[in-house]
Amino acid sequence: MSVGVELSNEDLEAIRKLYKVRWSADIRNWKERDTDYCMWFVYCPNKKGAYIVETGKCLAEVINRILQKALE
């Protein structure tokens, strides 16, 4: 039985982009056994230094959404 998560090339590219654009970020996930998905939680500071969070099932989408908010 495996509880690991496989990252797609799109996910990996989004992670690279996140850390190029933001000086600090935190990526976490929650995965239940015997499921094919997990919930992603991504935290990073916005332009004012306040931390914001986005959640979702697709890491690349979550990162893209949080970057839009962080750079507003």
Side-chain angles (χ1 to χ4, degrees):
M1 174 179 354
S2 172
V3 293
V5 175
E6 288 187 36
L7 298 175
S8 69
N9 287 336
E10 184 181 10
D11 293 334
L12 294 172
E13 185 57 38
I15 292 168
R16 285 196 265 310
K17 180 179 177 182
L18 174 64
Y19 284 105
K20 280 183 183 177
V21 174
R22 303 311 304 154
W23 53 269
S24 176
D26 186 21
I27 300 172
R28 298 177 187 211
N29 72 338
W30 177 265
K31 183 175 186 327
E32 295 285 338
R33 288 188 173 119
D34 300 323
T35 61
D36 294 333
Y37 64 91
C38 70
M39 181 64 84
W40 290 101
F41 302 86
V42 179
Y43 307 82
C44 78
N46 62 15
K47 285 185 172 182
K48 296 178 183 178
Y51 270 78
I52 56 175
V53 63
E54 276 292 320
T55 63
K57 291 183 182 176
C58 175
L59 180 57
E61 289 176 11
V62 172
I63 290 173
N64 287 330
R65 281 197 316 268
I66 202 164
L67 282 176
Q68 285 179 335
K69 286 184 176 181
L71 300 175
E72 289 179 340

